[in-house]
Amino acid sequence: MTMSFDEFGLAPGIRRAITDLGFEKPTPVQMRVIPFLMTADRDLVALAQTGTGKTAAYGLPILHRTDPANRATQTLILCPTRELCVQITRDLHAFAAHTKGLSIQAIYGGAPMDTQMRALEKGAHIIVATPGRMLDMLRRGRAQLAKVQHVVLDEADEMLNMGFQEDLEAILKTVPKGVRTLLFSATMQRQVAAIAGRYMNTPEEITIGERNSGSETVTHEYYMVHARDRYAALKRIIDVYPTIYGIIFCRTRLETHDVSSRLMADGYNADALHGDLSQAQRDRVLGAFRTRHLQLLVATDVAARGLDVTDLTHAINFSLPAEAAQYTHRSGRTGRAGKPGISVVLLNMREEHKIGILERVVKKRFAHKRVPSGREVCAAQLHALLERVRQVTVDEAEIAPYIGQIEAILSDLPAPEVLKRFVSLEFNRFLAYYKDSPDLNASGNSPPDRKAKGPPRERAAGEMTGFIVNLGDRNGLTPGELIGLVNRASRGPVFQFGRIQIDRDRTYFEASGGDPRILLDARSLPSYKGRKMEIRAFDPEQRPPRPNSRQSPRRDKRPAQ
Ligand code: ADP
Ligand code: MG
């Protein structure tokens, strides 16, 4: 059965927004849920994996049924986290891009109440909220649910896992009797069934795929390593996928911290997301990850909850989750919206039997993969490098004045020799690092080399120069953006970055490899969010210690692409 978005009878403005978004045909959940919500009036329990398009499945028909002329709140959407709340609100705004006069408000904790209260005072047709903050608003009389027609419980299982049961029930008790309740969940666990039983009216049940099973487009792979080689194996796996964009799951905050600091020290474009971060730090890390300035996010399960970043290539289980069911949520972070994804599991010898358990949870076979050898990593990196050479856009106009110089200096070298040297420039560090690298497979024959450490990506050659920029946290600057700004401004040889320390109003950073004079010349610098960038040199010894600022020893010289 193929179906198109035209057949649902959605308003033309909504239909146009779907086209703008590039949605060509409805996902399986949408095919079943949209017609049901457009026609029937009964409650609904829909079970589907993450990444199957549930937001549009309920969002489109609800928008269609919302009356902009009626100023009352007509729909309440509850979801487990602030990030998800923002994401759903963003999606609904996109769906309503051509619908006039609709107000959609996000209400979540960890942000000032007064701004949200003012927004509610102006009237919200649709409220998207986390349960705790919503209940707060209701108790303070700041939200009116008397005219609500639809209540959506999105990721109901996660809300219950996170301990929102009481808040949820308190909210559900305040909504009018005849309200239509829609519950979405990846799993039908006992608590979810209990909520459905208590607050819903003989709901229609729509199950997409098998209950609790993993997403169709995810392949599952595991690697057997000695416990002590876990980190070295992680690096090989990352290196063999040069365009990797993924989450590395750890079990504890400590482990998250440990893995992310080692990756950063080794020059990877990685950062950590865990419960010890302030809201501002969390936003910064998530923002960098979402915009792909950050390639690898090292996170605990709790911190990664509700994070909707699409197109992840990998979900890596650095250590296994405490409960097997959690694995579905981890691997569901990749393979979203029908795109292929890889879920990687690192195991030591004692954990091998756990693969069978995971296979039963996701109902799929796991492939045993060998940790790539140094040579395989080098081959993959070389391939990626050559691919970049093939695809780079040459700015003919800008490079023209330099062609003479290039030819003059390199004229005595034959073309194949030039090619080899250009490739070596980038590639030598991999060849050097992986020279004589040991076999890391736990089942392998060669004894693992305990001294396998050191940087796979180039450590900055030459001396670092210190700089101060007149932009900081307040301007929303992130390390990734700084690296991009500097390297775009310098045009010539790229800078390699040492420490980056973002303070409130300014940022210290260390860099080497490029021409510092260009950075110090205000004329070559761009504006950033309306503020003219200015850089001056500074002496690292004189920097006042700032215990509260975040330090990032990243050395990657280019953001993820
Ligand atoms: P879920 O809530 O089921 O986890 P989402 O609603 O967040 O999934 O959708 C996952 C991703 O798929 C989003 O990036 C969304 O824009 C995209 N998406 C949803 N429906 C479609 C569609 N019909 N065609 C293409 N992409 C879609
Ligand atoms: Mg969702």
Side-chain angles (χ1 to χ4, degrees):
M1 174 184 68
T2 48
M3 210 180 211
S4 93
F5 277 108
D6 291 323
E7 293 163 48
F8 297 133
L10 292 163
I14 298 177
R15 185 69 197 82
R16 229 173 96 203
I18 299 170
T19 311
D20 290 353
L21 285 169
F23 291 7
E24 282 165 14
K25 60 183 181 55
T27 64
V29 168
Q30 292 162 1
M31 282 189 210
R32 296 198 41 204
V33 170
I34 297 175
F36 176 76
L37 294 183
M38 291 291 286
T39 52
D41 265 311
R42 287 182 31 229
D43 286 353
L44 170 72
V45 169
L47 299 179
Q49 289 307 305
T50 42
T52 50
K54 292 190 287 288
T55 317
Y58 64 76
L60 299 174
I62 283 177
L63 285 171
H64 176 89
R65 289 181 151 213
T66 306
D67 175 10
N70 174 355
R71 285 182 28 96
T73 298
Q74 298 164 48
T75 297
L76 171 65
I77 299 169
L78 294 167
C79 64
T81 65
R82 166 197 167 111
E83 279 76 34
L84 206 51
C85 191
V86 170
Q87 182 71 39
I88 293 169
T89 310
R90 198 185 298 156
D91 288 351
L92 294 181
H93 275 133
F95 301 153
H98 304 294
T99 310
K100 291 230 161 52
L102 264 184
S103 155
I104 306 161
Q105 291 301 337
I107 301 293
Y108 47 79
M113 273 201 102
D114 49 348
T115 346
Q116 295 179 356
M117 286 181 185
R118 277 199 297 278
L120 287 180
E121 245 158 56
K122 288 195 202 126
H125 294 110
I126 300 179
I127 296 178
V128 186
T130 50
R133 178 58 64 94
M134 188 62 213
L135 192 57
D136 239 12
M137 290 288 186
L138 286 171
R139 294 207 164 125
R140 291 163 189 242
R142 297 300 181 144
Q144 280 302 326
L145 300 182
K147 298 277 162 55
V148 163
Q149 291 159 14
H150 289 96
V151 173
V152 179
L153 308 177
D154 196 354
E155 303 214 359
D157 49 350
E158 286 291 336
M159 283 197 279
L160 294 166
N161 287 343
M162 290 174 75
F164 280 132
Q165 176 155 359
E166 279 180 27
D167 290 355
L168 268 186
E169 298 204 23
I171 295 168
L172 290 173
K173 278 178 190 147
T174 66
V175 299
K177 274 280 165 290
V179 80
R180 182 181 206 189
T181 307
L182 316 173
L183 183 153
F184 291 84
S185 180
T187 59
M188 189 65 179
Q189 59 203 46
R190 204 172 35 82
Q191 283 178 300
V192 176
I195 288 279
R198 230 170 298 159
Y199 297 95
M200 297 175 76
N201 228 331
T202 51
E204 170 86 2
E205 195 179 309
I206 293 181
T207 303
I208 299 295
E210 277 191 82
R211 281 190 180 191
N212 298 350
S213 73
S215 163
E216 284 310 306
T217 51
V218 180
T219 34
H220 303 263
E221 303 178 340
Y222 71 100
Y223 295 85
M224 296 287 299
V225 296
H226 291 285
R228 59 171 184 259
D229 292 327
R230 208 176 271 259
Y231 177 70
L234 172 70
K235 289 208 299 186
R236 292 248 183 119
I237 294 165
I238 296 171
D239 285 341
V240 90
Y241 294 109
T243 54
I244 192 170
Y245 174 51
I247 303 184
I248 298 167
F249 286 99
C250 295
R251 200 182 292 182
T252 62
R253 282 176 200 186
L254 196 65
E255 193 176 61
T256 306
H257 180 77
D258 183 47
V259 171
S260 64
S261 0
R262 289 176 77 178
L263 285 174
M264 287 192 270
D266 282 345
Y268 292 86
N269 185 8
D271 211 335
L273 190 69
H274 54 70
D276 284 345
L277 301 183
S278 70
Q279 192 62 51
Q281 288 172 321
R282 198 178 148 77
D283 286 346
R284 191 159 53 202
V285 174
L286 280 175
F289 189 55
R290 204 167 268 135
T291 52
R292 296 198 168 212
H293 284 105
L294 192 63
Q295 208 175 353
L296 296 164
L297 186 67
V298 187
T300 54
D301 293 288
V302 175
R305 249 170 210 159
L307 166 75
D308 180 25
V309 177
T310 48
D311 297 352
L312 289 186
T313 61
H314 288 73
I316 299 182
N317 294 260
F318 183 75
S319 48
L320 284 171
E323 284 180 44
Q326 192 63 44
Y327 179 81
T328 316
H329 285 287
R330 286 185 176 190
S331 57
R333 300 280 150 220
T334 180
R336 290 166 84 84
K339 299 218 175 62
I342 301 177
S343 177
V344 171
V345 181
L346 286 171
L347 290 176
N348 62 37
M349 301 292 262
R350 283 198 317 271
E351 296 171 316
E352 193 172 10
H353 68 281
K354 296 197 173 157
I355 287 301
I357 302 174
L358 295 182
E359 287 183 331
R360 280 195 292 282
V361 169
V362 299
K363 299 203 175 64
K364 280 199 169 178
R365 297 289 294 175
F366 281 50
H368 178 192
K369 298 262 289 190
R370 294 184 55 78
V371 180
S373 66
R375 180 165 277 232
E376 286 166 318
V377 169
C378 288
Q381 287 289 340
L382 181 63
H383 181 82
L385 175 61
L386 296 179
E387 207 46 46
R388 272 168 59 212
V389 169
R390 183 178 282 286
Q391 293 185 3
V392 69
T393 326
V394 175
D395 189 335
E396 299 289 353
E398 288 290 329
I399 205 167
Y402 304 101
I403 293 289
Q405 193 184 353
I406 296 171
E407 282 171 357
I409 296 175
L410 296 179
S411 62
D412 58 325
L413 292 176
E417 187 62 25
V418 172
L419 201 59
K420 210 160 35 176
R421 289 180 186 219
F422 262 100
V423 169
S424 300
L425 225 45
E426 274 279 317
F427 195 48
N428 275 350
R429 62 178 191 262
F430 281 98
L431 291 177
Y433 178 64
Y434 280 112
K435 191 161 145 261
D436 306 323
S437 53
D439 181 359
L440 294 182
N441 292 286
S443 45
N445 316 323
S446 38
D449 180 355
R450 300 303 319 287
K451 290 200 296 283
K453 62 175 191 293
R457 316 231 162 167
E458 192 168 32
R459 278 198 187 275
E463 219 167 297
M464 289 281 181
T465 313
F467 298 95
I468 301 180
V469 199
N470 64 333
L471 300 168
D473 220 13
R474 204 170 40 185
N475 313 95
L477 189 72
T478 65
E481 281 171 324
L482 176 71
I483 294 170
L485 285 169
V486 167
N487 273 331
R488 275 196 300 278
S490 77
R491 293 188 187 206
V494 285
F495 280 92
Q496 285 138 45
F497 283 76
R499 193 155 47 162
I500 297 174
Q501 179 180 323
I502 298 182
D503 290 345
R504 203 172 143 61
D505 296 306
R506 54 187 181 170
T507 297
Y508 301 92
F509 68 93
E510 296 164 2
S512 73
D515 183 353
R517 283 167 310 184
I518 298 179
L519 295 190
L520 299 174
D521 179 356
R523 284 167 306 179
S524 55
L525 297 175
S527 288
Y528 176 73
K529 297 192 181 155
R531 188 171 164 80
K532 179 84 177 112
M533 192 173 178
E534 280 169 29
I535 298 183
R536 50 194 176 81
F538 88 109
D539 174 1
E541 302 306 311
Q542 289 172 4
R543 171 151 44 92
R546 299 282 296 257
N548 287 330
S549 58
R550 201 169 74 112
Q551 299 205 348
S552 153
R554 85 187 58 224
R555 292 195 167 77
D556 203 340
K557 58 188 165 52
R558 69 191 151 86
Q561 36 215 309

